[in-house]
Amino acid sequence: QVQLVESGGGLVQPGGSLRLSCAASGFTFSSYAMGWFRQAPGKEREFVAAINWSSYSTDYTDSVKGRFTISRDNAKNTVYLQMNSLKPDDTAVYYCAADLGRHTILRRTTHDYDYWGQGTQVTVSS
């Protein structure tokens, strides 16, 4: 029943912007932290950003800090990733994930997340 569906990926030029969305269903979305991860070809899946249940706390990996913004709309069961000033190194498949742990911290490790979307491709190229 749990489902996470990413959308909004595509091809953009360096310096451009993109907003990713992740629609969640099958669990009480507003009770849990959400995260974004990405995986480039030949590389490990890496943490990008996370947000707690109420949007009170956010966390970003250093390489995207100041350029990306994670947000959520609990009324729409949706988490977003606004990506600005995109660089070629941002090219990856982006995944949203749900952390159903009974805790109040934001986590950065893939194994800490319980449910994953199918991913959406982001390509930054001239």
Side-chain angles (χ1 to χ4, degrees), residues 29-34 51-58 72 74:
F29 176 82
S30 60
S31 296
Y32 301 106
M34 298 291 295
I51 187 166
N52 85 319
W53 68 272
S54 67
S55 301
Y56 181 78
S57 299
T58 58
R72 68 192 296 163
N74 286 344

Side-chain angles (χ1 to χ4, degrees), residues 11 16 38 47 52 60 76 86 91 112 117 119:
L11 174 64
R38 66 187 181 186
F47 170 79
N52 85 319
Y60 300 91
K76 296 181 178 179
L86 283 161
T91 296
D112 290 325

Side-chain angles (χ1 to χ4, degrees), residues 84-120:
N84 298 326
S85 301
L86 283 161
K87 305 173 181 180
D89 285 349
D90 295 318
T91 296
V93 177
Y94 283 70
Y95 300 88
C96 68
D99 179 1
L100 271 60
R102 307 289 286 186
H103 56 81
T104 58
I105 62 168
L106 294 176
R107 304 198 282 190
R108 292 183 162 210
T109 305
T110 55
H111 76 259
D112 290 325
Y113 288 78
D114 301 276
Y115 299 109
W116 294 82
Q118 83 290 345
T120 186

Side-chain angles (χ1 to χ4, degrees), residues 24-75:
S25 60
F27 67 102
T28 307
F29 176 82
S30 60
S31 296
Y32 301 106
M34 298 291 295
W36 285 97
F37 292 75
R38 66 187 181 186
Q39 189 166 24
K43 299 181 69 176
E44 294 278 293
R45 189 170 299 187
E46 67 170 344
F47 170 79
V48 177
I51 187 166
N52 85 319
W53 68 272
S54 67
S55 301
Y56 181 78
S57 299
T58 58
D59 187 29
Y60 300 91
T61 193
D62 287 346
S63 64
V64 309
K65 200 166 187 177
R67 299 189 298 121
F68 291 10
T69 303
I70 188 171
S71 62
R72 68 192 296 163
D73 186 340
N74 286 344

